[in-house]
Structures are given as structure tokens and as C-alpha cells.
Amino acid sequence: MLEVTVTKTSPASTLLTVSGELAGSGSERLLSRLDRLLDQGHRYVVLDLSAVTFCDSSGVSALVRGHARASAAAGGLRLSAASDQVARVLELSGLSRMLGLKPAVDAMGAVAP
């Protein structure tokens, strides 16, 4: 089960802490949460992935779609603090570079252009 929690928010960005498995229905849960935040005017989102234990292709797809939705809303999506397994998946898929994977959580100001 994937849990997504708004941990911190400021005018610069919003930090979401994601925990559990980023797969299957969890991927849709993350996208739904991102959609709600974007609809509420949060443009720049940082995902803290330190508590994500597994990421499959549906998780990768959710991150790509989340990035596209944030970009379409004139914002951005960044990743931080991924576990070794998740970091490896992000490296192999090219998302670590595309989404600016940081080794530690840096929520405030980390996403804004």
C-alpha cells in the first residue's frame, strides 16, 4: 500500500513524502494526489522517496505522467532521497536525470526554475 503525505509546503514548493510500494494502484494514488495539489495551485512538487520500498514500470509511468502534468501546469516535479532499489530503477529509466534526483530532501526552493 502506498501512502502519500504532504509534509511541508511553502510558496516555492510542496514536499510530498511517499512510502510503500510505487506499483499498481499505488501509482494511481500518487497521480491522484499530484492532480489535487496542482488543481489547488501547488506548482512545484518535490517527492521524498526515502520510504518507497519498490518501484515497477507503473511507478515509473506515474512519475513521468506526474512530471508532464506539473509541467503543463507551468510547474515542475523533482525527486529526492530514493532508496537504493528505487534509485537504480530511476537511473535505468533515465528519470533520475530528467527529474533531478537529489540524494537528500531539499524541499524549499528545490524545484523552482
Side-chain angles (χ1 to χ4, degrees):
M1 174 108 174
L2 187 82
E3 298 217 10
V4 182
T5 307
V6 174
T7 307
K8 202 171 196 182
T9 189
S10 79
S13 63
T14 300
L15 174 63
L16 288 181
T17 300
V18 184
S19 60
E21 294 188 358
L22 187 50
S25 64
S27 300
E28 291 303 317
R29 179 171 294 148
L30 175 61
L31 279 175
S32 293
R33 190 61 179 268
L34 285 171
D35 282 344
R36 283 194 308 272
L37 286 170
L38 292 168
D39 288 346
Q40 294 168 358
H42 300 262
R43 295 290 171 244
Y44 298 99
V45 179
V46 176
L47 299 180
D48 173 357
L49 302 176
S50 60
V52 174
T53 57
F54 178 77
C55 180
D56 70 1
S57 61
S58 69
V60 169
S61 176
L63 294 173
V64 170
R65 291 166 42 204
H67 170 70
R69 291 175 185 181
S71 295
L77 177 69
R78 292 288 181 259
L79 309 177
S80 63
S83 67
D84 289 343
Q85 186 274 337
V86 174
R88 181 76 176 136
V89 169
L90 297 174
E91 284 287 325
L92 291 172
S93 67
L95 285 181
S96 61
R97 187 191 307 213
M98 183 175 105
L99 298 179
L101 177 62
K102 304 285 186 196
V105 176
D106 176 21
M108 302 306 117
V111 181

